[in-house]
Amino acid sequence: ARAQIGVTGLAVMGRNLARNLARNGFTVAVHNRSAGRMQSLLADHGDEGEFIGSESLADFVASLERPRKIIVMVKAGGPTDAVIDDLVPLLEEGDIVIDAGNAHFPDTRRREAALREHGLHFVGTGVSGGEEGALLGPSIMPGGSAESYTWLGPIFEKIAAQVDGVPCCTYVGADGAGHFVKMVHNGIEYADMQLIAEAYDLLKQGLGASAAEIGEIFAEWNTGDLESFLIEITAGVLAHTDPVTGGAFVDVVLDQAEQKGTGRWTVQNALDLGVPITGIAEATFARALSGSVPQRAAAAGTLPAHAGTWDVIDRDAFVEDVRRALYASKVVAYSQGFDQIAAASAEFGWDIDRGAMARIWRGGCIIRARFLNRITEAYERDAHLPLLLADEYFTQAVGDGVTAWRRIVAQAALNGVPTPAFSSSLAYYDGVRAERLPANLIQAQRDFFGAHTYRRTDREGSFHTQWTTDRAEVQE
Ligand code: NDP
């Protein structure tokens, strides 16, 4: 018997993906650089389905039916290139190499172009959901050629998470589109987590509430519009007691956030494309600030706060304000992320269906949430929606909460509680809806010092004012 699909790289992710494939009835070829991982997979889980183990890459390739479909699940970066280089001479025209690791999309574009030269398909695939998702059903975001998806679609859609009978997998777009979308997914995840952290801080500082009490508030929120995996686990984390001290677990966790880099990639790309993703950027910088140890040590107790003592009078009204501010800020972060997808899609010719992206994020992945249905519906109403926030549902949802949002951001500022994501999202909201922005002055300044020219509100064309001489206006 020949295998229908293969997995090389059998650390936690590859091992679980291979098991998921086998459990779904596919015959899976398995290989790992060091044979031990392959052998232990067969020993521990060989009874879960049909596996064909190989110690050498050549045997692994030979065990696959054609066109070969090979998932590479190794450490991202150099190791991925090394494995591809070893594979290519063993493959034949039409074979499909799938990189399911966390590659940066420019690398995927480069690898896709190189393998296309050899008549091979290279499919950079975003896989979200971590270890558990890989085993039980991840959200899968494959890029590469549309032709490759005719082979991969039936397999990936079967092993993906299913929501209401719909698989959390769809063809995203050519070359690096899949890894790009996975990157933005992770960026949105950063924003979501930061917003939740700010809500927690506001409840803690405004109400003087304990972690357990705040956990109950999050559990309650998880029954409404905010229902999501991240809110659910937040409630669970806040309820957890530290076995060492007997106090709240979160209170003993060091407040320095780490990152593996996908948030940074997302922000770097947004700068390249000129898309304001302030929510994701502030979330990424907030992690950086938390880790700025010498700066924080120099500032703590030194920089004056001149803040009042926060005395929330109506507890329930305050909690509801924070909830509304959180929801509105979250909508902004997603709206910005979808803007970035639209901009990249235009830049790279990917033709990404944004509604479909929201659909395949409903299950399997970290940002899975009830409200993603609303995003899919918005793009069903208008596939070319220029701004998610301007969809009728979101206009109303955010509009209903905007007064609460302003109160929260104002109180946070008055009381010296940092809310970079809440505040910048509100500033974005007010910026994007403004009839007139102060960019007129920026243009005038640019023309003054650099003769960069400006356009006028009342006439077509480009103009320059001769600032240093007679201040006459000339048309360029
Ligand atoms: P690791 O990222 O820890 O990588 C270990 C695997 O890579 C091992 O199989 C190892 O082989 C192999 N490897 C490393 N270097 C080489 C090389 N030069 N040649 C051949 N094989 C090599 O594994 P994970 O399972 O944690 O992650 C796999 C991929 O999935 C990564 O790209 C990671 O970023 C991504 N990932 C995705 C997650 C998600 O939620 N989507 C979560 C976690 C990871 P050996 O055993 O011989 O050392």
Side-chain angles (χ1 to χ4, degrees):
R2 293 212 160 188
Q4 292 154 288
I5 188 156
V7 180
T8 181
L10 301 172
V12 280
M13 292 295 291
R15 174 186 177 99
N16 281 357
L17 212 54
R19 290 174 61 198
N20 185 353
L21 286 158
R23 288 170 169 200
N24 275 288
F26 298 105
T27 302
V28 191
V30 286
H31 171 267
N32 192 71
R33 176 179 61 178
S34 47
R37 288 193 201 270
M38 180 274 290
Q39 284 151 355
S40 79
L41 168 60
L42 297 191
D44 298 343
H45 304 287
D47 58 350
E48 292 177 8
E50 298 295 326
F51 294 98
I52 301 175
S54 297
E55 295 200 3
S56 79
L57 200 60
D59 289 347
F60 167 71
V61 168
S63 72
L64 283 152
E65 67 178 33
R66 297 216 47 220
R68 299 185 181 87
K69 300 164 221 52
I70 299 177
I71 299 178
V72 178
M73 203 38 153
V74 301
K75 208 175 255 318
T80 303
D81 282 316
V83 172
I84 293 170
D85 288 347
D86 289 348
L87 271 175
V88 168
L90 303 171
L91 300 179
E92 292 167 273
E93 195 168 333
D95 285 350
I96 306 168
V97 178
I98 303 131
D99 175 13
N102 269 336
H104 195 193
F105 80 94
D107 289 336
T108 304
R109 285 168 59 78
R110 167 177 62 77
R111 291 168 182 148
E112 195 276 337
L115 265 65
R116 196 161 6 105
E117 294 282 300
H118 293 276
L120 302 171
H121 296 278
F122 183 75
V123 180
T125 300
V127 178
S128 177
E131 220 178 303
E132 188 182 294
L135 181 63
L136 304 176
S139 172
I140 308 180
M141 297 154 246
S145 65
E147 189 195 337
S148 66
Y149 195 75
T150 62
W151 294 99
L152 299 176
I155 303 176
F156 285 178
E157 290 179 18
K158 196 152 181 208
I159 66 161
Q162 312 283 322
V163 175
D164 304 333
V166 180
C168 293
C169 174
T170 193
Y171 174 60
V172 178
D175 57 77
H179 275 138
F180 178 85
V181 161
K182 169 71 194 322
M183 176 191 81
V184 176
H185 162 285
N186 284 27
I188 290 175
E189 177 185 312
Y190 274 53
D192 237 340
M193 291 169 69
Q194 174 66 22
L195 289 168
I196 290 172
E198 289 177 20
Y200 151 72
D201 203 17
L202 287 162
L203 295 169
K204 185 171 151 188
Q205 309 226 29
L207 301 176
S210 69
E213 287 165 341
I214 300 168
E216 282 168 26
I217 293 170
F218 276 99
E220 170 66 28
W221 288 353
N222 198 40
T223 62
D225 287 334
L226 282 169
E227 182 189 319
S228 61
F229 172 70
L230 283 170
I231 296 278
E232 181 191 329
I233 66 163
T234 301
V237 165
L238 289 168
H240 182 57
T241 300
D242 174 45
V244 180
T245 59
F249 167 74
V250 282
D251 292 341
V252 298
V253 177
L254 193 69
D255 61 345
Q256 293 170 19
E258 296 177 9
Q259 48 188 316
K260 290 208 291 195
T262 39
R264 185 176 68 236
W265 289 347
T266 313
V267 178
Q268 285 170 337
N269 169 261
L271 291 171
D272 289 342
L273 295 174
V275 182
I277 53 159
T278 57
I280 298 170
E282 288 295 352
T284 307
F285 286 134
R287 289 197 192 188
L289 189 150
S290 76
S292 300
V293 177
Q295 290 82 359
R296 290 180 66 188
T302 306
L303 300 188
H306 297 307
T309 317
W310 204 350
D311 191 12
V312 172
I313 294 157
D314 187 339
R315 183 184 187 279
D316 290 346
F318 178 74
V319 170
E320 177 59 8
D321 275 1
V322 175
R323 188 190 69 80
R324 283 169 177 260
L326 174 56
Y327 191 64
S329 304
K330 177 177 163 119
V331 172
V332 166
Y334 279 69
S335 185
Q336 293 175 339
F338 279 88
D339 250 7
Q340 184 174 4
I341 292 174
S345 182
E347 170 83 12
F348 300 110
W350 288 332
D351 197 22
I352 297 175
D353 175 349
R354 287 171 291 170
M357 296 309 107
R359 192 174 67 237
I360 65 171
W361 291 346
R362 291 183 309 163
C365 65
I366 306 299
I367 64 171
R368 59 187 184 260
R370 177 202 283 206
F371 114 122
L372 288 164
N373 274 325
R374 302 292 194 176
I375 297 181
T376 304
E377 288 160 13
Y379 288 115
E380 276 166 8
R381 280 190 281 275
D382 177 2
H384 302 290
L385 191 63
L387 179 73
L388 185 61
L389 266 172
D391 167 73
E392 61 195 37
Y393 167 78
F394 290 110
T395 303
Q396 188 175 347
V398 174
D400 285 351
V402 75
T403 314
W405 197 7
R406 293 192 194 292
R407 273 195 297 268
I408 288 299
V409 168
Q411 286 173 43
L414 286 170
N415 290 289
V417 178
T419 54
F422 273 45
S423 308
S424 69
S425 299
L426 180 56
Y428 173 89
Y429 178 80
D430 282 329
V432 78
R433 65 168 198 86
E435 305 261 337
R436 197 156 160 78
L437 288 167
N440 51 346
L441 182 57
I442 307 283
Q443 283 299 83
Q445 291 166 333
R446 294 178 70 246
D447 189 60
F448 188 107
F449 65 69
H452 293 304
T453 75
Y454 51 89
R455 285 177 295 150
R456 297 181 55 101
T457 57
D458 54 354
R459 272 186 285 151
E460 288 296 315
S462 257
F463 299 89
H464 168 57
T465 294
Q466 297 170 355
W467 294 101
T468 49
T469 56
D470 58 357
R471 301 210 163 185
E473 183 173 79
V474 291
Q475 186 153 6
E476 295 288 307

